[in-house]
């Protein structure tokens, strides 16, 4: 049996000879040759999910990323974002949690997909580490990364957390590009990582449906209680700030909820919460649009965003009637 480190550090594919344009296109567009519906729990659905994740792999290498030179104002804007410690540590935990869960799975297709996911999480950590080094961003010491005791719980927390954070990150990323506060070269450098997050949550949503469909019926109530527990834990976690101390004794305050609250750091434009939610929905649809529509998409966070938009419209109507 492979060690967990081998699962998330071994390159899943040989370096590609394809052009960058073709690689980028294939990472964003995929359809299964399988005919008919892809119902969760069937062999056809499972094989399509695994094939999607394998075929859309983007072989970019963090070690050769040419980080653009930033002017002092932009550099300060980047280094002052309250996210870097959490971002690096989150990816460090995610690679280990996904590798540990992949090691538990006996189905070869899903084991392959989740192992590749763990490898890509490790690559995300490498990208962030290279960025931190390139721009001399002060960091607190990383904690030791340990194998989770409750592997399923840890995997669920990571998967649902990525679904939430990626949805809002899509909108913030588009907002930053429109505002022009960050150089286009930096936006383009991070673009493959953002699309990779889309693939990750597409995989998680379809794994979740497959897992529910194939588990014994008597295990389902406990599993659904765990899912509710994960959502409650994520809500609690995002209500606070994470604090850590670096080797010089300086405190680092990190925002656990930056993907939801970070619009003010990404633009000087005044954008309302409903408009931001709509932008996140539009970007979410755009990034998923190239993948086979028979594969399931995450639905909870988009539903919450739509509820916020609807609630804001209703409140505006009530307010206008009161003031009339």
């Amino acid at each position: 049996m492979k060690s967990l480190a081998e699962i998330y550090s071994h390159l899943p594919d040989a370096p590609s000879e394809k052009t960058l344009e073709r690689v980028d296109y294939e990472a964003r567009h995929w359809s299964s040759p399988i005919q008919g519906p892809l119902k969760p729990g069937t062999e056809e659905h499972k094989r399509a999910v695994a094939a999607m994740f394998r075929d859309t792999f983007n072989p970019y290498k963090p070690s050769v990323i040419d980080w653009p030179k930033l002017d002092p104002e932009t550099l300060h804007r980047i280094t002052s974002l309250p996210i870097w410690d959490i971002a690096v540590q989150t990816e460090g935990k995610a690679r280990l949690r996904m590798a540990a869960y992949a090691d538990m799975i006996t189905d070869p297709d899903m084991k392959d997909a989740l192992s590749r996911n763990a490898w890509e999480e490790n690559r995300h950590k490498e990208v962030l580490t290279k960025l931190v080094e390139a721009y001399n961003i002060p960091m607190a010491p990383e904690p030791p990364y340990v194998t989770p005791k409750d592997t399923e719980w840890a995997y669920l927390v990571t998967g649902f957390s990525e679904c939430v954070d990626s949805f809002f990150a899509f909108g913030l990323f588009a907002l930053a590009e429109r505002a022009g506060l960050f150089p286009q070269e930096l936006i383009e450098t991070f673009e493959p990582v953002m699309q990779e997050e889309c693939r990750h949550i597409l995989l998680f949503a379809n794994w979740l449906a497959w897992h529910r469909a194939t588990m014994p019926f008597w295990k389902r109530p406990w599993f659904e209680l765990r899912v509710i527990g994960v959502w409650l834990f994520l809500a609690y976690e995002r209500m606070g700030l994470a604090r850590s101390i670096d080797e010089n004794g300086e405190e680092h305050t990190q925002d656990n909820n930056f993907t939801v609250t970070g619009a003010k750091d990404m633009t000087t434009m005044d954008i309302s919460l409903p408009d931001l939610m709509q932008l996140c929905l539009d970007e979410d649809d755009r990034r998923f649009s190239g993948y086979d529509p028979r594969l399931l998409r995450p639905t909870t966070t988009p539903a919450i965003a739509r509820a916020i938009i609807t609630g804001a419209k209703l409140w505006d109507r009530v307010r206008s009637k009161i003031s009339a």
Side-chain angles (χ1 to χ4, degrees), residues 274 311-321:
K313 289 179 179 178
L314 290 173
W315 171 244
D316 286 342
R317 291 175 188 171
V318 171
R319 190 169 55 180
S320 63
K321 288 182 179 179

Side-chain angles (χ1 to χ4, degrees), residues 29-104:
H29 300 83
W30 184 88
S31 291
S32 173
I34 298 173
Q35 300 297 311
L38 297 176
K39 183 180 179 181
T42 63
E43 187 72 15
E44 291 79 10
H45 172 261
K46 182 197 66 173
R47 286 193 282 114
V49 172
M52 177 279 297
F53 205 76
R54 181 178 62 252
D55 296 345
T56 57
F57 172 72
N58 187 332
Y60 70 86
K61 297 181 180 180
S63 60
V64 298
I65 290 177
D66 185 18
W67 297 101
K69 185 175 177 59
L70 304 179
D71 62 78
E73 182 180 355
T74 303
L75 181 62
H76 175 72
R77 189 177 296 117
I78 291 288
T79 58
S80 61
L81 292 174
I83 59 172
W84 300 116
D85 288 337
I86 284 180
V88 172
Q89 293 172 24
T90 296
E91 299 295 356
K93 294 174 184 175
R95 61 180 179 175
L96 189 58
R97 290 174 176 180
M98 292 189 173
Y101 193 78
D103 194 45
M104 287 177 54

Side-chain angles (χ1 to χ4, degrees), residues 201-246:
I201 62 178
L202 183 62
L203 171 62
F204 180 76
N206 283 274
W207 165 84
L208 185 63
W210 170 81
H211 189 58
R212 281 170 164 155
T214 56
M215 72 170 56
F217 75 91
W218 54 270
K219 287 187 177 182
R220 184 72 181 269
W222 173 241
F223 180 77
E224 297 304 336
L225 285 174
R226 301 204 91 191
V227 170
I228 293 172
V230 167
W231 280 110
L232 292 174
F233 170 76
L234 293 178
Y236 171 78
E237 182 184 53
R238 280 156 171 72
M239 287 191 296
L241 299 175
R243 291 181 170 85
S244 54
I245 306 297
D246 66 18

Side-chain angles (χ1 to χ4, degrees), residues 15-19:
S16 175
E17 297 299 329
K18 302 173 184 176
T19 64

Side-chain angles (χ1 to χ4, degrees), residues 4-237:
L4 296 186
E6 286 178 316
I7 289 175
Y8 67 66
S9 63
H10 179 66
L11 185 68
D13 289 288
S16 175
E17 297 299 329
K18 302 173 184 176
T19 64
L20 291 177
E21 291 80 6
R22 183 180 171 192
V23 164
D24 185 70
Y25 181 86
E26 291 183 354
R28 300 166 189 272
H29 300 83
W30 184 88
S31 291
S32 173
I34 298 173
Q35 300 297 311
L38 297 176
K39 183 180 179 181
T42 63
E43 187 72 15
E44 291 79 10
H45 172 261
K46 182 197 66 173
R47 286 193 282 114
V49 172
M52 177 279 297
F53 205 76
R54 181 178 62 252
D55 296 345
T56 57
F57 172 72
N58 187 332
Y60 70 86
K61 297 181 180 180
S63 60
V64 298
I65 290 177
D66 185 18
W67 297 101
K69 185 175 177 59
L70 304 179
D71 62 78
E73 182 180 355
T74 303
L75 181 62
H76 175 72
R77 189 177 296 117
I78 291 288
T79 58
S80 61
L81 292 174
I83 59 172
W84 300 116
D85 288 337
I86 284 180
V88 172
Q89 293 172 24
T90 296
E91 299 295 356
K93 294 174 184 175
R95 61 180 179 175
L96 189 58
R97 290 174 176 180
M98 292 189 173
Y101 193 78
D103 194 45
M104 287 177 54
I105 295 178
T106 56
D107 183 272
D109 291 317
M110 280 297 179
K111 179 185 283 288
D112 177 73
L114 268 65
S115 297
R116 290 171 181 272
N117 198 166
W119 185 91
E120 290 183 4
E121 297 292 358
N122 186 56
R123 182 168 61 174
H124 286 188
K125 185 178 186 299
E126 289 184 37
V127 170
L128 292 172
T129 300
K130 295 293 184 182
L131 180 146
V132 165
E133 293 174 354
Y135 297 131
N136 296 315
I137 299 174
M139 300 283 288
E142 292 183 56
Y145 298 110
V146 297
T147 304
K149 294 181 180 178
D150 189 338
T151 305
E152 182 185 70
W153 171 268
Y155 179 67
L156 289 171
V157 167
T158 296
F160 281 115
S161 180
E162 283 201 332
C163 289
V164 174
D165 292 339
S166 296
F167 175 80
F168 292 110
F170 295 159
L172 292 183
F173 193 75
L175 196 62
E177 184 173 13
R178 295 180 185 183
L181 295 183
F182 303 96
Q184 189 61 32
E185 296 88 348
L186 190 60
I187 296 291
E188 291 174 355
T189 297
F190 261 103
E191 175 56 36
V193 178
M194 296 301 298
Q195 191 62 32
E196 209 158 63
E197 290 292 355
C198 180
R199 293 171 54 256
H200 289 184
I201 62 178
L202 183 62
L203 171 62
F204 180 76
N206 283 274
W207 165 84
L208 185 63
W210 170 81
H211 189 58
R212 281 170 164 155
T214 56
M215 72 170 56
F217 75 91
W218 54 270
K219 287 187 177 182
R220 184 72 181 269
W222 173 241
F223 180 77
E224 297 304 336
L225 285 174
R226 301 204 91 191
V227 170
I228 293 172
V230 167
W231 280 110
L232 292 174
F233 170 76
L234 293 178
Y236 171 78
E237 182 184 53

Side-chain angles (χ1 to χ4, degrees), residues 238-288:
R238 280 156 171 72
M239 287 191 296
L241 299 175
R243 291 181 170 85
S244 54
I245 306 297
D246 66 18
E247 58 188 8
N248 297 319
E250 297 181 3
E251 183 179 75
H252 294 245
T253 301
Q254 304 283 295
D255 188 353
N256 280 323
N257 207 27
F258 181 81
T259 54
V260 179
T261 63
K264 64 183 183 299
D265 295 304
M266 308 305 287
T267 181
T268 56
M269 298 184 296
D270 187 19
I271 183 169
S272 67
L273 180 60
D275 288 343
L276 178 59
M277 294 299 99
Q278 188 59 57
L279 178 59
C280 291
L281 285 168
D282 293 343
E283 284 297 299
D284 190 65
D285 289 341
R286 182 181 70 83
R287 289 191 178 275
F288 279 115

